[in-house]
Amino acid sequence: MKKFFSPQSIAIIGASTKSESIGGILVNNLLANNYHGKIYPVNPKYNQIKDLVCYPAAKDIKKEIDLCLIATPAPTVPGILADCATLKNPIKNFIIISAGFSETGPEGKKLEQQIADLAKKYSLRIIGPNCLGIINTQNGLNASFAPNNFLSGPIGLIAQSGAFAAALIDLGTRENLGFSCLATIGNKTVLDETDFLTYFANDPKTKVLGLYLENIKRGPEFLSVLQKICQKKPVIIIKAGTTAKTQAAIITHTGAMAGDEEVAESLITDCGAICAHSLSEFLGYLKIFSYFKAPVNDTTILITNAGGPGIIAADLVAKSSVLNLYEFSAAEKFHLQKQSPEASSFGNPLDLRGDADHTRYETVIKELSKNKKIGALIVLATAQVQTNIPAIWRTLFAAKKYCPFPIMPVILSDTIASLLTPDIPLANFDDPLYAVQSLEKYYLWQNKKNININFGKSAKIAATRQKKNNQYLTQVKNRQRSILLYSEASHLAASYNLNILPAQRLNSLDPQTLTYPTVLKIDSDQILHKNKEGGVILNLKNSEQLSIAAKTLQKKFAKTDLIVQPQSEPGLELIIGLKKDNNFGSVIMLALGGIATEIFNTKIFFSPLGNTRYFENKIQTSPLGQLLDKQGIKLQTVIENIQKVSALANENPTVKELDLNPIIFYPDQPPIIVDIKVILE
Amino acid sequence: MKKFFSPQSIAIIGASTKSESIGGILVNNLLANNYHGKIYPVNPKYNQIKDLVCYPAAKDIKKEIDLCLIATPAPTVPGILADCATLKNPIKNFIIISAGFSETGPEGKKLEQQIADLAKKYSLRIIGPNCLGIINTQNGLNASFAPNNFLSGPIGLIAQSGAFAAALIDLGTRENLGFSCLATIGNKTVLDETDFLTYFANDPKTKVLGLYLENIKRGPEFLSVLQKICQKKPVIIIKAGTTAKTQAAIITHTGAMAGDEEVAESLITDCGAICAHSLSEFLGYLKIFSYFKAPVNDTTILITNAGGPGIIAADLVAKSSVLNLYEFSAAEKFHLQKQSPEASSFGNPLDLRGDADHTRYETVIKELSKNKKIGALIVLATAQVQTNIPAIWRTLFAAKKYCPFPIMPVILSDTIASLLTPDIPLANFDDPLYAVQSLEKYYLWQNKKNININFGKSAKIAATRQKKNNQYLTQVKNRQRSILLYSEASHLAASYNLNILPAQRLNSLDPQTLTYPTVLKIDSDQILHKNKEGGVILNLKNSEQLSIAAKTLQKKFAKTDLIVQPQSEPGLELIIGLKKDNNFGSVIMLALGGIATEIFNTKIFFSPLGNTRYFENKIQTSPLGQLLDKQGIKLQTVIENIQKVSALANENPTVKELDLNPIIFYPDQPPIIVDIKVILE
């Protein structure tokens, strides 16, 4: 990867003298930032571009080439790759800027497959196609057709959308946010987010990572790398393309399939990364990790020259589930009042009054900086008649040096725009919301680093069981069925000691073993939603009621098997489920069952590779955990069942979906699974 | 009120030659904006300020004074008011800029009371004290010490914090937001938000209202006025000071008590107003109502030159519970492609590609503007190498004229700052989030206007019942108790036909009428949380179990009465409650009961003055409505019980809190109230 970000020599295939064409912009961008490597434009049309010799083809360069940019029409790309890969000094590293691949349809998809095949054959490392290129601000390398107005700084950006990167560069200039490296990864035929994540983990200039992703190519590897890097560096992720409708947009955009946002957010957060839900959030998180110290603890002080905005900010801290408002002791108030008698209130917010100048800010900040109990300081300022915003800005910057906790400026004034320049390396939050939210995330990230809830490196597999189940499921599949019957699903589940409520077929019923009340239901590999379709009759109290019910169902569902189960005792109805996610493979879900399922939409997703501590931690911190607690149900019992389903998921990759719904938990007896559905791929 | 916003003559008591003092700024501000009324500075120290004659005292002016600004130290204010009010031509209208009243403590509170008394005695209309003043951009009146850089426009601003108004003026300049009038209301000793709301309702230049409030002085009147104005003009409210901790800040800020945010938000929204939860939201709503047409329907189209940001925006619309992504038909796509062959995708977002110039934007917008099925258009642009942001900006402005639906710009570029000037009356959303959120709120506001869920003008009172209950509660109070015993609370509730589960005292138990299982609990006016303190024993199956339980409770709660109730059948446990809110007086709550109450925190607040349609509408659109539906419980039954509690609230203002918890609802039998608590003021 070093050859990409610090190449000694670059060839540009499709270079151009036209400064508005992509081939022209690429040459200009490489020349514009004092990049010191060798630059070889390639285009048979020209002998010279700017002051550079232009070569007819890559083979004519006859020098070692660290990196090759390709900006020619899509159909020419496979040929160019093959040529470059078979030179005497073969080229191994490519950035394919060209569009016109899988994002455009079947034809493009074929071309992209050719690229993938060539990469495999010749061990090529390729970024793109359909990308903007990469930038390394540390050595002036702009190997992209992005604008040249980027600032240098601590952010490593990985973007699946080139336009997103371009917008970030532009907004970065406005917000005074600088980048170490930017990588746009396009269709990620060869190199993907996981490769760049790995690289940025070890890049010393990159202190914080920002990712824009629409899908995740190698989900499990991504999580594994992410988990490691989050122990050292904060990673902010904006995951777009969440909904079915938007997925259509993604297919036409980079030809990728989008995954389920909720699962992605859950697993990404498990790894210690931070999900941003809007551009404003994303910028806020990049700001705090770029410029500010870590909060020393969760107590926060607000100082302000403006009552209203101070109260808005204090509301946010007071409502936060992470931060707390610091409360001054009487002695502290007395002392502060002596230092700054002009301030009107020594509560929180500490109101410096509308006529506060920068020295009043400074006096109070200096005083507070000595207080070891303070975790962070949020400083608000509005431009009132006597306010000198530039002087306050410089005061806040100076305070960074002597103050042990972060000082976050919330300057609510138009004046700030002209102050946000690299001369003063500091960022401003122009809404208290994003200052507080960012502080929360910094605090959580810092403390999460210490929680070790590693995913298992590889799942434990019980080989004999796996083999048996595999044979069993293959038999079902051979019968051209993907939905298992109740008896089949029960058979599978039983091999994991899942406690499925027994069922007898109505037509082979042993009346001796039958107890009332009982439940009659259909058992079908066609009708998935039995309940909804009226295929379940509950609470049958005697044989008469049972036979009436049987006639009803037989009439309604001709040729469908009927099964009889004992009626279960009421308890806490939960769902444990398993789903193959587009991005991450098998994931496990724990949710509230019964009638409230859809209304409260309370669910937790797990990786089936998680350890016990991971399951414990996720349930305990959720509403479901509180519910278990209130009902006196042992957390351990729930976890055991999740682990059984995890084992089933890990050993049976052909299971596409599984539902234990409901699994009823009790305070004083083992849980019972009343119904099970299994769907194969 | 017209005398405040369009005075013919103004006296400034405490005027000064010092341009940095408040008295000096007031004079300068009045002179700075071509305000044509007469200006009379008053200060015994000067003969002249600027070119104006300065008077020693108000009595020396000897002209009619429409408005008098006071900026002298707090202790002098009552005397000045008395002097002015007793002139031959008495002054009636004042703005008291001076601080130092109830916001500072008991001394200030006394001074403020003097002002209130004088206002009553002499029928004075007073804004403030402790405010910034008012501005009317229509006639150049800046009767405030706010900066002079405000833009003129359609927004009427009412702010309880002067600093909030100052910040809004400043940010308004940045965001190209203009104001018709601004009123800062300070401690609102006499005139308050309801007065200004009434005035702005009829001010033709005010098209949208923005309010910053920390408390609401005359809650019921405020709601009544708000409901009327929201039928005509959108009202955006930011309600700060939500939490106990922040309330402390409010007391020191304007000496007002803050109310409960959830209640405020609920009732304010019932009136058709829009609550903003952050400064960014507030600005977003002001933008859309200032500059944009109403959405024609709920379908939205996104066009973009940037894939990633387009997908982020599409995700927001797809996830919206209000808006929908428009789907182009095959014929529409074909037609669009003919018009603009360069675009890469005719999905939603419609991707114009990174090299789109303003004419490509124009072509597509013109084409879309003919489509009658489109409700709104969100236009994204990022600055890529070939992008001309100013040209796109002008194109979007021009499109306002011919396009029947709103076109909302989301320009993600630093360049936009220089384009946001009054020359082009248009606003930009710099995060797709706020464009989508604002569009949602506009759509909802427009459609809510048609729903008539009026609060009753005055509650129906059953006079005989009211009198009886009043006597009964007075007796309890005379016994120095504010918590009613179960029997007393039941007695009160029974007069509203609330179906309370009967209870017998254990020591006067009739064993003949007792059925098992039964429940034993304490009945105390001291212990409010029986359950938590272990004062309830459920499911006693026979007399033996009952007598063991009785011994247990008697030991634990000596001298406390015990009562016996039949065990109720399981059903849907809800809470119906009543609380005296700080801002709005009595409010009614419907919430989920049982163990899930605090976990899911599902609750609805109602005004007890609402009509049946109001209760219906609020429940039906909530999770509780879905729950009732799923359980087969009649909405009407729930509403009847809410109406009974409403009647109780309206007729018994001394009831501070009431809890029916739980009230169990069933599909096929009347609800039962298992426990009741009543607390008097």
Side-chain angles (χ1 to χ4, degrees), chain A residues 295-317:
Chain A
V296 173
N297 57 53
D298 63 359
T299 60
T300 306
I301 297 222
L302 303 145
I303 69 176
T304 184
N305 71 346
I311 289 171
I312 290 175
D315 281 351
L316 291 164
V317 178

Side-chain angles (χ1 to χ4, degrees), chain B residues 534-553:
Chain B
V536 179
I537 301 178
L538 296 169
N539 211 18
L540 301 168
K541 287 179 181 141
N542 48 50
S543 60
E544 259 170 281
Q545 291 190 358
L546 178 59
S547 76
I548 295 168
K551 275 176 198 150
T552 310
L553 290 187

